[in-house]
Amino acid sequence: MKVLVIGSGAREHALCRSLSLDPDVTALHCAPGNAGIAEVAELHQVDALDGAAVSALATRLGVDLVVVGPEAPLVAGVADAVREAGIAAFGPSKEAARLEGSKAFAKDVMASAGVPTARSYVCATPAETAAALTAFGAPHVVKDDGLAAGKGVVVTDDVEVARAHADACKQVVIEEYLDGPEVSLFAVTDGETVLPLQPAQDFKRALDGDAGPNTGGMGAYSPLPWADPKLVDEVTQSVLQPTVDELRRRGTPFSGLLYAGLAITSRGVRVIEFNARFGDPETQVVLARLKTPLARVLMAAATGDLADLEPLRWSDEAAVTVVVASHNYPGTPRTGDPITGLDEVAAQDAPHAYVLHAGTKQVGDETVSAGGRVLSVTATGADLTEARDRAYRAVARIHLAGSQHRTDIAAEAAKAAGAAETAPTVPQPAEDA
Ligand code: AMP
Ligand code: GLY
């Protein structure tokens, strides 16, 4: 099978890495790609938002499958253009991608499908905003209605900050605050059959201890030792399948990757958001654990054959990824700085730890930073403690001037899992005082 992946982030590097390890894949192309992806796939220049250009490239390369990674091309209808050219595409249509592209649309689909989510108001005027902020009270949650790469959401106790964010956006969704841990659950779907993957947890805030602004994601881990083992089945039944069924019912079936961002609240699971594509950085840890060769899974979703696919097989290992970001991310990042230490990771830490590239490019002999999130350093291990030790050991070998990373990715979960393992299973008699 010949495959073309569209995109240039660490998610696309993770997809390309898995596809390059799949014996069914005879040729692997990526456009536009980055310096790391160039090591596993042949790169091509393309405007990823231009459906005609992407389908012309796919036709010229004679690929069997195009995998569209990021949301912007999906929302622009790139998967539709590829399908119109007679080539299988993994990724939803423009219409179905509105599930991510418009938060108001997503809320409407959830209401029709009976999917549990935060109560919300769509607001387009200062008066509507004021009424919604008063109705829910603090903490305030104000979301830009359009695509904002995970950065359009403001969660704040300060009503003035909430109001200012609403004023700066054309239309916002204001919603009740959801308390509780967050889980990202992905499902591959062909518009009818829903195949959930393993859950992961993302770290959205820029700084340790969940401080600082929201980002696209600073790290992730999987599995979630603290989560209810029934979670995946429950969410498939209460969230993923009803959403896929509702979009099919509306005549805009969703095929590709449905990403449910969930809050596990005291009143049950609630959807925080949907995305119409693999999440970044969660994909890096989920694919690190997937043992089923990836190409056939993506192809079955693209061709409507998921019901016939064998059950997915998963590694028992844990995976952790730590994002190395540029100076000033998520503000305007500093770029063009050389990255060193990548060879040492390859020489000393592989195969358990490896570097997936996000914003990088090759300039002569040097790999230089070219975006906000630069690298996603990923590792596997027998448990989260081993996986995170390996990931951080690799991070320590890498040098990028002014870069930042969180030091607490998966720390709490690893500690809790370790404590559960060493805890006595039978209550011990109290020591005599
Ligand atoms: P979103 O882009 O909708 O995923 O929001 C980004 C982040 O903002 C989420 O991952 C949460 O951490 C936070 N967030 C969004 N909606 C809510 C909510 N209703 N209650 C609490 N936190 C939220
Ligand atoms: N990890 C968050 C996202 O991909 O939107």
Side-chain angles (χ1 to χ4, degrees):
M1 193 191 306
K2 296 181 185 160
V3 185
L4 167 64
V5 175
I6 300 299
S8 61
R11 161 189 49 216
E12 285 75 28
H13 194 174
L15 287 163
C16 285
R17 180 178 183 275
S18 292
L19 290 167
S20 74
L21 298 171
D22 181 340
D24 287 344
V25 176
T26 52
L28 184 58
H29 302 274
C30 182
N34 62 37
I37 299 174
E39 289 169 23
V40 292
E42 191 182 328
L43 300 194
H44 305 272
Q45 278 308 317
V46 81
D47 175 358
L49 297 179
D50 181 343
V54 170
S55 49
L57 175 64
T59 304
R60 180 165 69 73
L61 296 172
V63 299
D64 305 293
L65 176 68
V66 176
V67 180
V68 183
E71 59 275 23
L74 292 165
V75 169
V78 168
D80 307 78
V82 171
R83 281 189 279 265
E84 277 159 28
I87 301 171
F90 181 84
S93 67
K94 179 181 176 148
E95 283 298 313
R98 288 179 69 211
L99 203 55
E100 171 163 4
S102 164
K103 293 191 186 283
F105 175 77
K107 285 288 184 190
D108 186 57
V109 169
M110 285 189 265
S112 308
V115 168
T117 185
R119 288 179 297 133
S120 66
Y121 295 106
V122 180
C123 306
T125 67
E128 286 170 2
T129 297
L133 292 174
T134 308
F136 292 133
H140 302 288
V141 182
V142 181
K143 303 185 175 188
D144 190 345
D145 186 33
L147 277 187
K151 293 180 274 184
V153 177
V154 167
V155 181
T156 176
D157 283 321
D158 186 337
V159 72
E160 287 311 320
V161 172
R163 205 187 320 255
H165 183 56
D167 288 347
C169 304
K170 224 163 86 191
Q171 177 164 290
V172 291
V173 174
I174 293 179
E175 62 183 41
E176 71 179 316
Y177 179 77
L178 298 174
D179 207 355
E182 286 180 41
V183 171
S184 301
L185 183 62
F186 302 164
V188 172
T189 175
D190 57 10
E192 201 156 346
T193 301
V194 171
L195 200 62
L197 307 186
Q198 289 281 303
Q201 191 171 48
D202 177 18
F203 293 75
K204 292 243 166 78
R205 299 289 187 132
L207 306 175
D208 280 5
D210 291 330
N214 265 318
T215 70
M218 293 298 289
Y221 67 94
S222 176
L224 312 178
W226 50 268
D228 184 339
K230 295 195 297 291
L231 180 74
V232 172
D233 282 348
E234 262 177 42
V235 174
T236 303
Q237 273 156 40
S238 64
V239 173
L240 300 166
Q241 190 72 56
T243 301
V244 166
D245 291 345
E246 172 62 19
L247 284 163
R248 193 176 63 249
R249 193 188 65 74
R250 291 180 179 213
T252 54
F254 185 105
S255 78
L257 195 289
L258 178 57
Y259 165 138
L262 307 162
I264 315 294
T265 76
S266 52
R267 291 178 297 139
V269 172
R270 299 280 184 278
V271 174
I272 294 179
E273 63 161 349
F274 281 126
N275 291 319
R277 36 88 194 163
F278 279 99
D280 189 340
E282 298 96 313
T283 300
Q284 287 87 300
V285 291
V286 171
L287 292 185
R289 300 184 53 232
L290 178 66
K291 291 210 289 196
T292 307
L294 183 62
R296 72 180 68 158
V297 180
L298 304 182
M299 186 56 121
T303 53
D305 298 320
L306 264 189
D308 300 329
L309 192 77
E310 77 267 21
L312 296 178
R313 288 177 289 116
W314 295 95
S315 156
D316 289 334
E317 286 201 319
V320 171
T321 195
V322 178
V323 171
V324 176
S326 297
H327 180 70
N328 206 35
Y329 177 75
T332 307
R334 191 173 103 189
T335 58
D337 292 301
I339 304 162
T340 58
L342 298 173
D343 293 343
E344 278 101 287
V345 175
Q348 319 235 12
D349 303 315
H352 303 295
Y354 46 90
V355 179
L356 298 170
H357 291 225
T360 68
K361 70 176 183 197
Q362 200 67 26
V363 178
D365 291 344
E366 280 185 336
T367 306
V368 304
S369 60
R373 290 188 291 179
V374 181
L375 304 169
S376 188
V377 181
T378 307
T380 54
D383 54 20
L384 286 174
T385 300
E386 188 176 44
R388 81 183 287 281
D389 286 350
R390 285 172 169 167
Y392 278 109
R393 208 175 309 145
V395 168
R397 295 190 209 279
I398 295 167
H399 187 74
L400 166 63
S403 69
Q404 41 162 336
H405 65 267
R406 280 184 62 159
T407 67
D408 61 349
I409 304 300
E412 221 177 287
K415 207 165 136 202
E421 206 136 277
T422 52
T425 44
V426 233
Q428 300 294 299
E431 301 253 7
D432 281 340

